Amino acid sequence: MLFTLKKVIGGMLLPLPFLLFMIGLAICLLWFSRFQKTAKGLLTVSWLILLLLSLQPVADGLLRPIEDRYPTLHTSEPVKHIVVLGGGYTWNPDWAPSSNLINNSLPRVTEGVRLWLANPGATMIFTGAPARTNPVSTAEAGARVAESLGVPRSRIVTLDTPKDTEEEAAAVAATIGSQPFILVTSASHLPRAMIFFRQQGLNPIPAPANQLAIDSPLNFWERMIPSPNWLMHSDRVGYETLGRVWQWLKGSSGEPGKQ
């Protein structure tokens, strides 16, 4: 119940649903109340914020400091485990396996496979519980995609009970102990994930995937025209900011052993 409540409230506080709610409230005030100036101000501010968050320079300017915390992992000492955190997914057996990994999940798995190819003696560990109506777990979906890309099933372990990052860290700790391992997740999610894993007494080697904030050249119109693609980048900022607030409320200071 707490998990569902957290997801619902957190989802409503993300930029798009929150701003749509504010715009809807402003429209209601315009039509059904005498607070015309308040409604016009709320509508104008909400529209302006939605516009700015849909522009590449603003969205990526907000996201880049989060993603740049850890560099891409190119080389590392040999490890026994590569942990890939779960994300969005579905499972339709008629689709290509990779089509079942939604948004951030596919880049996480492909980065994990890339690192495994450089370290084929390692075991890949996939985490994540099943969605309520899906018989296949997040972890199993990632494992099947990795297997389709050439990773032997004998080198794959699935942990399919954790529902969030904190539970994923606890499950990994129970499985491999304190030995160093590579931790693969989205670049924007990695700073928060590292806190949870280190607080479990673990020694993760950070391996960011799915970097979104663009520094490389773009056509000028791509920077100037609002796009749902850039709004999605702003959504990641909101999601991870809310996640850090939740960590703080739960007493997670970012230092191992401090609660």
Side-chain angles (χ1 to χ4, degrees), residues 86 89-91 101 126-130 135-147 153 156-160:
Y89 85 108
T90 186
W91 193 261
L101 299 184
F126 293 90
T127 66
V136 176
S137 69
T138 310
E140 179 60 25
R144 292 181 185 183
V145 173
E147 189 175 9
R153 190 70 196 206
I156 294 174
V157 171
T158 58
L159 304 177
D160 55 9

Side-chain angles (χ1 to χ4, degrees), residues 220-241:
F220 74 89
W221 58 84
E222 293 176 289
R223 297 184 182 276
M224 294 175 57
I225 298 175
S227 167
N229 185 52
W230 312 131
L231 184 59
M232 181 188 71
H233 293 194
S234 295
D235 180 87
R236 298 311 307 168
V237 176
Y239 186 88
E240 290 304 322
T241 300

Side-chain angles (χ1 to χ4, degrees), residues 49-125:
I49 293 174
L50 184 60
L51 171 65
L52 292 173
L53 294 180
S54 301
L55 296 174
Q56 188 273 334
V58 175
D60 286 357
L62 294 171
L63 182 58
R64 191 173 296 108
I66 302 174
E67 290 194 335
D68 286 353
R69 177 74 178 274
Y70 297 104
T72 299
L73 183 63
H74 294 293
T75 60
S76 70
E77 297 296 322
V79 295
K80 292 184 178 180
H81 299 95
I82 299 171
V83 175
V84 181
L85 300 188
Y89 85 108
T90 186
W91 193 261
N92 184 334
D94 295 329
W95 289 0
S98 61
S99 296
N100 290 285
L101 299 184
I102 301 171
N103 297 330
N104 54 10
S105 294
L106 183 58
R108 295 181 186 186
V109 172
T110 54
E111 178 64 2
V113 171
R114 181 185 76 84
L115 294 168
W116 180 85
L117 289 172
N119 192 5
T123 295
M124 295 194 74
I125 299 177

